[in-house]
Structures are given as C-alpha cells and as structure tokens.
Amino acid sequence: MKLEFFQRKFWTASRQCASLDGKCSISCDDETVNCYLIDNNGFILVSEDYTQTGDFFGEIEGAVMNKLLTMGSFKRITLYDYQAMCRANKESSDAARGLLDPYNAFLAAVKWIMTELVLFLVEFNLCSWWHSDLTAKAQKLKQTLEPCDTEYPAFVSERTIKETSGNIACEDCSKSFVIQQIPSSNLFMVVVDSSCLCESVAPITMAPIEIRYNESLKCERLKAQKIRRRPESCHGFHPEENARECGGAPSLQAKMVLILSPLLLLLFLR
C-alpha cells in the first residue's frame, strides 16, 4: 500500500461520524485542531503537513509528547550505539595550503605587503618590518569523524491505554488533546488544539549524545567487549536430517573419455 493511498483513506475515515446526518461536530478539516496518525514509537505517519511524515511527534508537538510521558501513555527508554561516528575538532595548519594553491599564495603575499606598507606609513618606522613573525602558521579547527559511543532516547507506547485526553497549562492559554488507539493496529490518532501554540515547552528530540568516558570507565568498557571466538565443536550432522533430501551432485560421474583425455594428450606431446 502506497503512503499516498493510505493517507487518503485515513482522511476519508476521519470525516465519517456515527451521527444521524453523518456530519462530525469536530473534523480534522477544522483550522482549530491538528490531526496526526502516529505509531507506537511516536513517529508520524499522517499529518496535515505532508513534510512532517516520518518525523518524531515530540519534535512537532513537544508539549503534548511531554504530557504523554508524564501520564504514562508513552515511556522513554535509552538505547546505545557502540559503532557510531562523532565529529571531532582537530587543529590543523593551513601552511601547506598556500603551496598547493599558487593563486592564494600570491594574494596572501600582496595582502601582507599592503598591510605592512600601511603600517609603515602610519607609524613611519621600520621596527614593524623586522619584528613581524613571518613564520607563524595559521591554525584552524578541522572537523573529522571518529568512532565513538552514543546514547539516544527511544519511546514506546503503553498498550493498555486505549484512549486518553489531557490539558496542558501554557503561559497564556490551555492546550487540549485527545489520543486514541486504532483497533487491530499499532497506530494512534492524536487530535491537538492548534489555537494554543505553547511555545514555552521545548520540543523533544531523539538526537544522539556522545558518551565521554574517563580513563577508568574506558578500560572497563574495553574489558566488557565480547571477543568473538570459533565454536568448540562442529555440527555438520543432525539425527533428524534426512540425507535422501540432499542434492544428487555427488552421484554425477564423469565419462571415461573425459578422464583419459588428459593422459592421452600428455602421451602425444611426449
């Protein structure tokens, strides 16, 4: 099922109500509410803004997600990545850059000469000419990727909660929401009051955080790594295995002519 078709089916179903005339008192088409369809890990499948598909719900509605964590509808767990790559800043000299690029070296020389000329005219002395450090190397920070360990949060829904609602007290308004589990699925429909922005609550992100070890913890971390080893015994046979079901490749026999042809060829060459 394509995502576009799934989204159309969801919006069609959200407009159907059990009233006599079939009209909904509140619909996802209203500007006062925002409707989301999220999975049990809090990722958005359907939203009025199609660019939010695949984003974490806490990044879009941080206040609502924080309230769901407080109420116990979702719980936070910590996962670890022991094969991550982190950005590290290293000091590197760009002295060789001028040798690799003659054009930049020429511009740097002209700039230096003009600067020294202006200083000479302003100060009218030769002291700055002799005390200028011509061998100084410009240092800059260079970002590189290095192996590291990271931790990042993950979120799991509480399956026993089928429907819940709540209000969030913001700085100048109250934000209400309703979350309901869709039967026979791992999806939840969330309807949020869009009139109250509640910008004072920061969004909840899943950005990884680098784990920095001190020397003792680093040694313990290295000792805790399990070293792969070969199995102590080989299991090439099982008593419940039927050997007759194996392929018949071993039963293939080469013809006698093919076997004797190398010997005959060797005799003729001699």
Side-chain angles (χ1 to χ4, degrees), residues 10-239:
F10 171 76
W11 294 123
T12 302
S14 65
R15 298 185 182 97
Q16 298 175 359
C17 295
S19 57
L20 295 177
D21 55 358
K23 295 182 180 180
C24 302
S25 57
I26 299 178
S27 174
C28 290
D29 296 330
D30 299 340
E31 296 181 355
T32 57
V33 295
N34 290 331
C35 296
Y36 303 93
L37 186 66
I38 64 176
D39 63 2
N40 60 321
N41 297 118
F43 290 97
I44 299 175
L45 273 74
V46 180
S47 173
E48 298 177 17
D49 185 1
Y50 292 102
T51 60
Q52 297 176 353
T53 303
D55 294 343
F56 180 59
F57 181 71
E59 297 180 355
I60 308 302
E61 297 285 351
V64 178
M65 191 64 194
N66 188 51
K67 185 68 174 181
L68 292 175
L69 291 172
T70 305
M71 298 171 58
S73 299
F74 278 80
K75 62 179 180 180
R76 184 200 303 261
I77 59 177
T78 302
L79 300 179
Y80 298 92
D81 186 1
Y82 297 111
Q83 296 180 342
M85 299 295 291
C86 298
R87 294 188 179 274
N89 293 327
K90 287 187 175 181
E91 291 187 355
S92 61
S93 174
D94 61 349
R97 184 169 177 265
L99 299 176
L100 297 177
D101 196 342
Y103 181 73
N104 290 334
F106 175 77
L107 291 181
V110 173
K111 182 179 179 181
W112 177 80
I113 293 175
M114 295 299 297
T115 303
E116 294 295 334
L117 180 60
V118 171
L119 291 176
F120 174 76
L121 295 177
V122 171
E123 299 179 2
F124 199 71
N125 60 62
L126 299 177
C127 182
S128 60
W129 285 78
W130 300 106
H131 293 281
S132 60
D133 188 9
L134 301 180
T135 60
K137 298 180 180 179
Q139 302 290 331
K140 64 178 181 180
L141 293 177
K142 182 180 179 181
Q143 286 191 343
T144 58
L145 293 177
E146 294 183 351
C148 64
D149 296 346
T150 59
E151 63 178 15
Y152 58 95
F155 302 88
V156 181
S157 64
E158 182 60 48
R159 302 294 295 178
T160 58
I161 299 178
K162 304 300 180 181
E163 181 179 356
T164 183
S165 60
N167 293 310
I168 305 170
C170 301
E171 59 276 0
D172 55 354
C173 60
S174 179
K175 192 179 187 68
S176 59
F177 67 93
V178 177
I179 179 172
Q180 184 176 13
Q181 183 185 9
I182 298 178
S184 303
S185 70
N186 66 329
L187 306 179
F188 295 86
M189 182 176 180
V190 187
V191 181
V192 182
D193 180 13
S194 62
S195 59
C196 181
L197 299 179
C198 202
E199 297 179 346
S200 60
V201 180
I204 300 177
T205 64
M206 301 180 65
I209 302 175
E210 181 181 359
I211 304 176
R212 297 186 177 275
Y213 302 100
N214 54 30
E215 293 301 326
S216 60
L217 291 178
K218 185 181 295 185
C219 293
E220 294 296 330
R221 171 69 180 89
L222 294 176
K223 292 179 181 178
Q225 289 182 348
K226 295 182 178 180
I227 302 176
R228 295 182 179 181
R229 60 181 180 180
R230 296 176 61 89
E232 297 179 357
S233 61
C234 181
H235 304 278
F237 171 77
H238 194 273

